[in-house]
Amino acid sequence: MTSLQDLPLRTNLQGLTPYGAPQLHVPVALNVNENTHPVPEAVARDILASLAEALRSVNRYPDREFTDLRVALAGYLGAGLSAENIWAANGSNEVLQQVLQAFGGPGRSLLGFAPTYSMYSILASGTDTTWIPGVRDADYELSPATVVSEISRTNPDVIFLCSPNNPTGTPLSLETIAAAYDATDGIVVVDEAYAEFAPVGTPSALTLLPGRERLLVSRTMSKAFAFAGVRVGYLAADPAVTDALRLVRLPYHLSALTQAAANAALAHSTEMLAMVDDIRGQRDRLVVELARLGYAPHRSWSNFVLFGGVANPQRTFEALLAEGILIRDVGIPGHLRVSAGTEQETSQFLDALARVGRTDVAGKTESVRAE
């Protein structure tokens, strides 16, 4: 049987493995930062009605410019944006891929700050863009000085800043973003996939867009909108950037059904986002309880928590899986990551972790139980 290694792959793809988290059927899945709350029933009914209407004309191609969706996204974001500032695609991964198709490629480089979202390096490989893993400060923070130093050292064509960072949950200051922009003549992308989970009143990188034509702010409907299965990502930028992305997008890349579902959801943004406060509460609860159980959770502005103090991540992962709890080993030594679920899911995870116990460096299991 022919294997992947037998095919004439491009040189820069040889030896790589596809992206993918475990897809297992378990009672509590908290491994891929999904919003585990279902779409509200009343909103689901309106989305279904919009899909039914869209089905009546699927014999025709969809609006290539997804005009209504761009208007709706601009209205949701505010910040003085119009439809001309908005671009959308099938998930934020496709948005970022199109950015690299337009501004990366052979002979060009992408700087990210590891550890960060693992798809960045995969998207770089897929577009034949050189991936440069920059360094972070202590506790996975990122200061203006460190960003400027890494940009000066590597001179990248494109910079990806994840805010808050995945998989660490680390927030990113506007000062750091502005410093990165001023230090380069290239494209700066701020990936705000988890922006809605930041503390209330936290300013977005969207506020930095005026006068910065090389700054792009990426978002997704997968997380806060509980729309992971629909696949809608988008960005806000100078209209010249959206023109550049038109050069590389496939014709009619957003289906009529995708557009209809997203438009209906955005019309109910208040109801769709009502669950965000609950998710923030469960995230903060995880930070407190993980510390009480003897672990070292990192501060998080996202819908997940990275926690250290795990002597044997694989063993702990497998022990939790045996309890019906799926979390994520992200490859950071001594760490695991868990998504904030519903109150019940969070309780099940914490109870299971307490039952499993904590294994210290010497391999001795210490039972850690809730008082």
Side-chain angles (χ1 to χ4, degrees):
M1 179 181 292
T2 301
S3 68
L4 183 62
Q5 289 71 32
D6 297 321
L7 297 175
L9 278 173
R10 287 188 351 227
T11 302
N12 71 310
L13 295 181
Q14 292 173 6
L16 299 183
T17 57
Y19 172 87
Q23 289 188 300
L24 305 174
H25 296 290
V26 294
V28 181
L30 300 173
N31 64 321
V32 288
N33 305 339
E34 295 161 319
N35 184 334
T36 64
H37 296 64
V39 173
E41 185 60 34
V43 180
R45 286 196 296 269
D46 278 0
I47 293 173
L48 285 171
S50 294
L51 290 170
E53 182 62 29
L55 277 169
R56 299 178 184 276
S57 58
V58 292
N59 58 309
R60 302 290 188 178
Y61 285 117
D63 175 9
R64 185 177 60 244
E65 293 300 312
F66 44 98
T67 307
D68 291 343
L69 179 55
R70 288 191 293 119
V71 170
L73 287 168
Y76 167 68
L77 291 177
L81 298 169
S82 68
E84 287 68 32
N85 298 109
I86 304 298
W87 188 254
N90 295 284
S92 59
N93 288 331
E94 185 176 61
V95 171
L96 297 176
Q97 177 178 267
Q98 291 172 342
V99 169
L100 290 180
Q101 287 175 317
F103 300 107
R108 297 193 174 192
S109 60
L110 166 64
L111 171 66
F113 292 84
T116 192
Y117 184 32
S118 59
M119 274 302 300
Y120 295 162
S121 61
I122 294 173
L123 291 170
S125 295
T127 56
D128 209 2
T129 306
T130 299
W131 165 247
I132 303 172
V135 301
R136 287 183 171 269
D137 300 312
D139 295 323
Y140 308 116
E141 302 283 341
L142 196 54
S143 65
T146 296
V147 163
V148 171
S149 174
E150 289 295 277
I151 292 172
S152 298
R153 181 179 67 85
T154 61
N155 191 29
D157 298 282
V158 184
I159 300 163
F160 279 2
L161 300 171
C162 197
S163 176
N165 187 52
N166 177 17
T168 64
T170 316
L172 185 69
S173 71
L174 295 187
E175 290 77 14
T176 299
I177 297 168
Y181 186 89
D182 292 341
T184 182
D185 292 326
I187 295 292
V188 178
V189 180
V190 182
D191 181 357
E192 288 192 337
Y194 301 92
E196 286 93 346
F197 300 104
V200 175
T202 300
S204 161
L206 295 168
T207 61
L208 297 177
L209 286 175
R212 294 182 173 90
E213 71 282 353
R214 293 176 288 103
L215 181 64
L216 290 58
V217 181
S218 171
R219 291 280 189 99
T220 182
M221 293 184 70
S222 293
K223 311 301 181 181
F225 272 83
F227 241 42
V230 181
R231 313 305 302 129
V232 179
Y234 57 101
L235 65 70
D238 188 274
V241 171
T242 62
D243 279 343
L245 298 182
R246 286 182 176 89
L247 298 175
V248 298
R249 60 99 177 265
L250 295 174
Y252 311 105
H253 70 291
L254 274 177
S255 78
L257 300 182
T258 299
Q259 294 182 44
N263 280 323
L266 287 162
H268 292 276
S269 60
T270 300
E271 299 100 305
M272 293 290 278
L273 296 177
M275 62 194 87
V276 167
D277 281 342
D278 181 58
I279 295 169
R280 286 197 198 100
Q282 296 307 314
R283 174 200 65 203
D284 295 342
R285 177 188 172 201
L286 282 169
V287 171
V288 171
E289 293 300 318
L290 283 166
R292 193 167 69 87
L293 291 174
Y295 296 95
H298 296 272
R299 71 170 180 146
S300 174
W301 283 14
S302 58
N303 69 337
F304 57 83
V305 175
L306 178 77
F307 59 100
V310 187
N312 191 321
Q314 184 62 31
R315 184 182 303 167
T316 302
F317 172 88
E318 291 174 352
L320 288 170
L321 186 59
E323 296 264 343
I325 313 290
L326 179 61
I327 63 172
R328 188 75 176 268
D329 183 348
V330 294
I332 299 176
H335 287 73
L336 290 168
R337 191 191 70 193
V338 59
S339 305
T342 62
E343 181 178 5
Q344 180 180 0
E345 289 170 329
T346 303
S347 294
Q348 289 176 280
F349 160 71
L350 291 169
D351 290 346
L353 188 62
R355 287 193 302 272
V356 165
R358 186 163 64 88
T359 304
D360 63 19
V361 175
K364 177 182 176 182
T365 299
E366 172 190 355
S367 180
V368 183
R369 299 189 180 277
E371 297 174 0

